[in-house]
Amino acid sequence: MRRLFPVVALLSAAAGLVVTALWLRDGGDAALTLSLRTAGLAGITAFLTAINLMIRWLRWHYLVRRTILSTPTRRSLKLYFGTLPALATPLYVGESLRTALAARGTPALGRTVFTVWFTERLADAGILALFWTAAAGEWAAFMLIVAALFATALLANRMFGSPSATAEAVVVLASTSLAAWALPVLALQLVLGGLGASLSLADSAEAFSAGTLLGGLSLLPAGFGVTGSSMIYRLTATGIDEAIAIAAIALFRAGTTGFALALGALVFAVWRSEITSLAPRAPAQEHFDELADEYEEQIPTHIRDRLLVRKVAVMVDWLSRRGVEAGARGLDVGCGQGWYAAEMAQAGFRMFACDRSVPQLAHARPSARQAGVTLGVGSADQLPYADNSFDFVYGANVIHHITDPEQRRRAFDEIVRVLAPGGCFFLQEINVRNPLFALYMGYVFPLLREIDDGTEVWLRPLNLPEVAGARWDEHKEYLTFLPDFVPPAVYAALRPLESRLEQSSARVYSAHFVACLVKTPTSEPIR
């Protein structure tokens, strides 16, 4: 299959070039002159196509995460773009290969692979058909297509299993598909305008959507020979000069399908081994081992320092209100390079810290030695400490890396075990209640930073898991709103606004939250 797709793509592209050459010959020298003189329009089209492809990747990655939940975001992006040559297959069926590769090694996913592919194609066909029928004023057909899209929603309901998840999926599918396919309509309008042709947006939408749908239904790879020809016929039917129509579609197809195939071939050539690899994803420990030397540089210093001060202040204040004073014993679970443990030690607590990544601990050792922190090797679900050892424990952005539910349950059990009766565990996590921040953390942050890979399982402050022998305090602390990419000067200017938001009713949509799990005293029954 790895050999087949590039061959099919190249042969299909060659066929498309032959058809284009025939059109240009029939259009005369004017068409060729126009296309050469205005080649910059193909660049604009390619730029809009790149945005179109990014939106479609977001949609595909969303579907994959909701059904497979195992594909790191960076690999997902390479996989999606590296399999763009699969566009050159009948009905784009070859695109199902990317989902199969994303699900590498996961059993019984044949139906899921097909469902993801079919849902994408149905959403595309539905939006394009809506464009076509609305532009043509065919309202009866328009309503039939709306009914078909409703059927897509029912399919999504079977995929996602609950009304809330279905509603979210329908909104995502509709919005991403609409945004993605509005861009080539705009590109066609810009190309025609650049060539001096006047055409309404509705006619551009009809020409594009009709040509794309007919090309797909023709079963010819990427619609070569059909899509472009159909668009030319429809443009000339509106009164546009044939030479301009031929030049416009030649530029348009070069900047859309041609650009997508070329980009896909380039990405595949660069990351071929990673794209086609069926090896399982590296465990989180290996990921953080490899990242140890660059870990400090992953988050800008002004952001890291601000979070450090704010989160430590929250814990110290919370402990003070519970009567836990300086000298109490604390444990930092998943301490990384030890910044929080060192800060808590400077606040007067006897600090211990553990992490399962030895390279991370090596970086933590100098500051730990200076602050008097005792380091140890251990993971959250197998803590190397005796029962009832600590007055408090905390995990700063650690638990979301434990994606296996059973392992996460064991981690909470271990934390409760090492806590003294009445002791507390501070859960410090990313707050994904804000949908924009959830989108950023799941789809953008893993592309900008290497700390997270997009497969994390986020705990929500209003839906924390039950833990045997402990109960969650009703109070939650919500803090910070500004994302990590905000420059220092802008961040300093916006901090007063951030502080006001933290004190307002909007605080529940902050970027981080802290929750407190209190171990039940032995005198109380375990609930």
Side-chain angles (χ1 to χ4, degrees):
M1 295 295 285
R2 292 198 300 266
R3 296 188 186 96
L4 176 63
F5 282 121
V7 171
V8 171
L10 289 173
L11 290 177
S12 301
L17 289 173
V18 170
V19 173
T20 302
L22 292 173
W23 272 111
L24 290 173
R25 184 195 64 182
D26 292 344
D29 294 338
L32 183 59
T33 302
L34 283 171
S35 63
L36 291 174
R37 189 172 68 239
T38 57
L41 292 172
I44 296 173
T45 304
F47 173 74
L48 293 175
T49 299
I51 300 175
N52 164 278
L53 293 171
M54 281 299 297
I55 295 173
R56 288 161 64 189
W57 166 71
L58 285 170
R59 182 185 64 180
W60 175 78
H61 189 57
Y62 171 86
L63 290 173
V64 169
R65 288 191 62 182
R66 290 301 182 274
T67 53
I68 301 170
L69 293 173
S70 63
T71 304
T73 303
R74 284 174 180 248
R75 184 178 188 273
S76 168
L77 188 70
K78 296 173 185 176
L79 181 56
Y80 187 89
F81 280 84
T83 52
L84 284 175
L87 287 167
T89 55
L91 282 175
Y92 311 106
V93 68
E95 289 191 306
S96 61
L97 174 66
R98 65 168 60 113
T99 309
L101 288 171
R104 65 204 186 286
T106 307
L109 274 172
R111 180 179 298 179
T112 299
V113 168
F114 174 79
T115 303
V116 169
W117 169 80
F118 185 71
T119 302
E120 282 194 284
R121 296 290 74 78
L122 197 58
D124 287 340
I127 292 297
L128 291 172
L130 285 178
F131 284 176
W132 188 358
T133 53
E138 298 290 345
W139 298 111
F142 182 90
M143 294 308 298
L144 287 174
I145 294 164
V146 170
L149 290 176
F150 180 74
T152 308
L154 295 179
L155 175 63
N157 187 44
R158 294 193 64 182
M159 281 181 69
F160 300 105
S162 72
S164 61
T166 299
E168 177 189 294
V170 169
V171 169
V172 170
L173 283 171
S175 59
T176 53
S177 300
L178 182 61
W181 294 115
L183 290 169
V185 173
L186 174 62
L188 181 57
Q189 186 80 353
L190 291 174
V191 169
L192 289 168
L195 295 178
S198 177
L199 191 67
S200 69
L201 188 61
D203 285 339
S204 293
E206 183 181 5
F208 167 73
S209 55
T212 303
L213 285 172
L214 290 173
L217 293 174
S218 71
L219 300 183
L220 291 171
F224 284 125
V226 173
T227 297
S229 298
S230 174
M231 290 181 184
I232 291 171
Y233 286 129
R234 287 182 175 274
L235 292 179
T236 55
T238 65
I240 291 179
D241 181 76
E242 184 182 71
I244 293 179
I246 293 171
I249 297 307
L251 288 170
F252 178 77
R253 291 285 282 170
T256 53
T257 303
F259 171 76
L261 291 175
L263 178 62
L266 176 62
V267 173
F268 184 83
V270 174
W271 286 293
R272 176 178 177 177
S273 59
E274 184 174 349
I275 290 169
T276 58
S277 173
L278 297 179
R281 181 167 52 94
Q285 178 180 348
E286 294 182 16
H287 171 72
F288 284 101
D289 287 352
E290 296 171 356
L291 194 60
D293 290 341
E294 296 84 28
Y295 187 79
E296 187 174 356
E297 302 168 3
Q298 289 296 306
I299 301 296
T301 303
H302 67 286
I303 299 291
R304 187 176 67 244
D305 290 348
R306 174 68 171 162
L307 286 173
L308 181 63
V309 170
R310 293 287 287 111
K311 289 185 177 183
V312 167
V314 165
M315 290 192 291
V316 170
D317 180 65
W318 211 319
L319 289 170
S320 177
R321 286 188 279 111
R322 292 187 57 83
V324 180
E325 303 296 341
R329 290 165 58 94
L331 172 65
D332 184 332
V333 175
C335 66
Q337 302 198 356
W339 301 313
Y340 285 86
E343 196 73 14
M344 290 295 286
Q346 291 176 8
F349 299 101
R350 290 184 293 162
M351 290 304 302
F352 294 75
C354 69
D355 200 292
R356 63 180 182 176
S357 172
V358 174
Q360 292 282 356
L361 290 174
H363 283 273
R365 193 162 290 114
S367 61
R369 185 183 300 113
Q370 183 177 2
V373 177
T374 302
L375 297 178
V377 179
S379 60
D381 62 330
Q382 290 182 322
L383 294 174
Y385 305 103
D387 298 358
N388 308 322
S389 296
F390 301 101
D391 299 296
F392 66 93
V393 178
Y394 62 88
N397 294 345
V398 171
I399 301 300
H400 61 250
H401 291 295
I402 307 175
T403 58
D404 178 67
E406 180 58 28
Q407 186 181 9
R408 190 163 57 247
R409 184 195 62 78
R410 292 198 306 268
F412 278 115
D413 288 344
E414 278 289 275
I415 288 167
V416 171
R417 179 184 67 80
V418 301
L419 275 173
C424 56
F425 167 66
F426 295 109
L427 174 71
Q428 302 182 21
E429 279 292 323
I430 304 297
N431 184 15
V432 294
R433 185 175 178 181
N434 185 330
L436 290 177
F437 199 64
L439 173 67
Y440 174 70
M441 290 304 301
Y443 297 84
V444 180
F445 183 79
L447 299 177
L448 300 177
R449 317 289 183 195
E450 296 184 50
I451 295 176
D452 295 341
D453 64 13
T455 62
E456 292 73 25
V457 176
W458 308 106
L459 297 180
R460 296 177 180 267
L462 300 183
N463 190 28
L464 296 173
E466 293 187 6
V467 180
R471 63 179 183 272
W472 292 101
D473 193 302
E474 293 183 359
H475 178 69
K476 311 289 189 305
E477 288 284 346
Y478 296 94
L479 54 154
T480 78
F481 279 81
L482 300 174
D484 60 284
F485 56 78
V486 177
V490 177
Y491 192 89
L494 292 178
R495 274 180 59 178
L497 173 61
E498 182 178 67
S499 297
R500 286 196 293 272
L501 288 172
E502 289 176 339
Q503 302 303 317
S504 71
S505 58
R507 63 182 177 276
V508 295
Y509 298 108
S510 65
H512 300 83
F513 76 92
V514 181
C516 182
L517 180 70
V518 182
K519 182 173 180 177
T520 307
T522 53
S523 58
E524 291 185 21
I526 295 177
R527 300 176 183 176

